[in-house]
Amino acid sequence: MGTQAQILLTRQPIFDAHQKVVAYELLCQSESVQQLVSAEEDSLSSAAVLDAYTSISDQGEVKRVPAFISLSFALLKQTGLPGLPKKQVILEFSLKGTDPKEVLRNLLPLINEGYRISVSSVEDPQAFASLLKLVYLIKVSVDNKTPDEIQALRQQLAPWKRPLMATHISDYETLELCVSSKFSLFQGNFLSKPRAIAGQKVKANQVVLIQLLQILGDPKATPEKIEKLILQDPVLTYKLLRIVNSAAYALVREVESVAQAVVLLGLEQVRKWATVISLDAHTGKPEELTRNLLTRAHMCELIAVKQKRQPASAYFMVGMMSGIHLLLDIQRDELLEQLPLADDIKAAISENSGPLGDVLAQVMSYESGEWDKLPDDFDGELYENAYRGGLKLTKDSMQALYDTAGN
């Protein structure tokens, strides 16, 4: 991969018991960790990178959450104390196969310097007793564990009175078990699985949402046709007109119809706002799911624009539709069967086929930090810039939505 000098980063959410994001784990390609740790104050300083990856709009409040960054003891010996802002990071170390005395010797200087330390793979807690009293957090993998085994792990680490993070949570049932077992933080890909019942049908109001997203992705759609669909959802109509008439657009006269809004703002603006509003309307789902879907959609579109792929709006649509089933709590294949999506979009989502599927597959590999799945000619700089751009566009649009709603 010709991206050795490129920082390749992605983020994975860490939740509290209410499924609110309280931190992100930064996944770095191996070379990127060293660059991030030793980044000086230049255009790609560690502080600037961390700000881009940990700044979010959360229920209308722009805030920065801490970043968990995994370091190896080998890298620590090589670079010494990391040049990272202490308030913004939690440094992670795996204790697998390590010597307790040597680990304590390596980590004490960091702890004394004021860094927060998280440890994982604590196979023999008693052997690391001196260290466990000093760490900020202990990570516990619950992968393939029975409820009794999870409870036993919890009890085994209880004497050190440290917050515990359950990791590798693969579904909502395991999440609920970990919450009831009094873990403090939660991490895993449970958001990528719907709480679905086989054979479940898409509800009528959800069909309107899908049809709307579909028509907004069609450059040939008329303002009147778009208006007719939007008017089926009173909440969407109200919010869209509030946004259009907000100070952000400083229009000469107040817009009174959705068709006027489409003409004045253009299809692109209305499409993006309607998408954000529609996703936001699905209460009961963690806000992170909306953030993730919007970031993916923006990322696909930014890549399409840069690579002059047409129409770019189709790439936005594919990114969005690849995860919309999670908001609707229905299996992806069921959703694709029931909805009249264009064949190339369906094929891209179900089989990663065609130009749309190629970009979607690479974007999803990038966002999950599966660097080994990316092709040899992968353009790391393009994808990293698109990911960072997607994060910013998502934060800005979600923030503007709340700002407008509060006017």
Side-chain angles (χ1 to χ4, degrees), residues 300-331:
C300 288
E301 185 174 44
L302 289 168
I303 289 162
V305 169
K306 199 73 177 173
Q307 294 185 335
K308 297 183 169 54
R309 296 169 179 260
Q310 294 292 338
S313 60
Y315 287 81
F316 183 95
M317 183 62 50
V318 159
M320 182 66 61
M321 300 307 286
S322 65
I324 203 86
H325 64 291
L326 299 168
L327 283 170
L328 307 181
D329 270 338
I330 190 167
Q331 295 293 347

Side-chain angles (χ1 to χ4, degrees), residues 103-144:
V103 166
L104 192 61
R105 191 164 56 248
N106 281 316
L107 294 187
L108 262 181
L110 289 177
I111 293 167
N112 291 335
E113 187 76 15
Y115 282 103
R116 291 174 288 179
I117 303 296
S118 163
V119 292
S120 62
S121 300
V122 187
E123 288 158 3
D124 183 359
Q126 204 60 51
F128 290 94
S130 301
L131 175 66
L132 295 185
K133 292 171 189 169
L134 302 171
V135 299
Y136 177 72
L137 182 118
I138 303 170
K139 294 180 90 172
V140 179
S141 174
V142 298
D143 191 27
N144 291 321

